Each structure stands twice: as C-alpha cells, then as structure tokens.
Amino acid sequence: MELTSQVNEIWPIAAYFIILVAMLIFMMVLSYFLGPKTASRAKNTPYESGIVSIDNNKTRFGNHFFLYAIFFVIFDLETIFLFAWVIAFDEVGWLGFIEASIFILVLLAALVYLIRIGALELNKRHQPLRVQQLNISNKERF
C-alpha cells in the first residue's frame, strides 16, 4: 500500500516533466521546419544590444538600459517577498500586515526617489551625446 501512495503523490510531477519535455521537442522540431533557411554574411556576426558595431570608437551605449534592468529585478524581487507574505497571511497576523505595510512604504519611497531624480525618464536619456551637452549648457545659462 505504501508504494501506491508514493506513486499517487509523484505522478503529477512526472506527468508535468513528460509534458514539458514533449513540448520542448515539439517546439524545437517546429522551429527547425518553419525557421528561415537563408545564409548571409551578417547572420553569424556577433552583435550587442541588437546593433552591429562597425567601429567601436563611434558606437556608444548608454547605461540606462542596465538601470531599467536593475530596477526591474529589484521591484520584481520585492514582489516575490510580498507574494510570500500573502501566502502566509493567516499565520503572520496583524504584525505581519504592519511589517508588509512598512515594506511597501519603503518601496514607494524608493520609487518616488527614482522619479524625482529622473531615472525613469526616457526623453533625455535617448538623446545623442551632443544634444545632452547642449541641454546642460543651456540650463546653466538660465
């Protein structure tokens, strides 16, 4: 009897794994048959951020792409912490609610800080370097 109860407990995980492997194989085979078969010189060239770099001295990548990635990771991890709190809501009671509220207030303070320093503004970050320097020098005049 003990062996059948173990099988009954583990079969959903085994079925999930088998379905996952079958879907993976199906998608790989489908992409092989439906994917493009053209060969070109640019197909195998290395690129970074989707832009092929011809001359490394003239290509400049801003750090705002990395800032957005870092902000996403930070706020995503904090969401995971809040999700864990929601799952254990019955066990933590009012003390857990107060702690989660403080946590959310810290998150909101960080978000307000990011907005105030302009870290989330796209307009000035996507301008070429010369335009940014002109904007800075124009602000210094006034």
Side-chain angles (χ1 to χ4, degrees), residues 36-44:
K37 307 273 188 285
T38 58
S40 66
R41 192 180 110 208
K43 185 175 182 179
N44 295 324

Side-chain angles (χ1 to χ4, degrees), residues 26-37:
F26 174 73
M27 287 188 276
M28 296 287 282
V29 169
L30 191 66
S31 69
Y32 175 76
F33 287 116
L34 296 179
K37 307 273 188 285

Side-chain angles (χ1 to χ4, degrees), residues 17 25 27 32-34 43 49 52 88 96 100-101 108-109 120 134:
F17 181 73
I25 292 171
M27 287 188 276
Y32 175 76
F33 287 116
L34 296 179
K43 185 175 182 179
S49 301
V52 177
S101 299
L108 287 175
L120 302 177
L134 289 174

Side-chain angles (χ1 to χ4, degrees), residues 38-91:
T38 58
S40 66
R41 192 180 110 208
K43 185 175 182 179
N44 295 324
T45 56
Y47 66 92
E48 186 171 331
S49 301
I51 301 170
V52 177
S53 177
I54 297 170
D55 184 12
N56 288 335
N57 296 332
K58 294 182 182 178
T59 305
R60 299 184 107 173
F61 295 103
N63 61 355
H64 62 281
F65 294 112
F66 304 110
L67 288 175
Y68 284 114
I70 290 170
F71 295 152
F72 174 76
V73 168
I74 290 171
F75 286 107
D76 194 40
L77 287 175
E78 292 165 349
T79 304
I80 291 171
F81 288 136
L82 287 175
F83 184 72
W85 168 75
V86 168
I87 290 176
F89 181 73
D90 290 336
E91 298 167 5

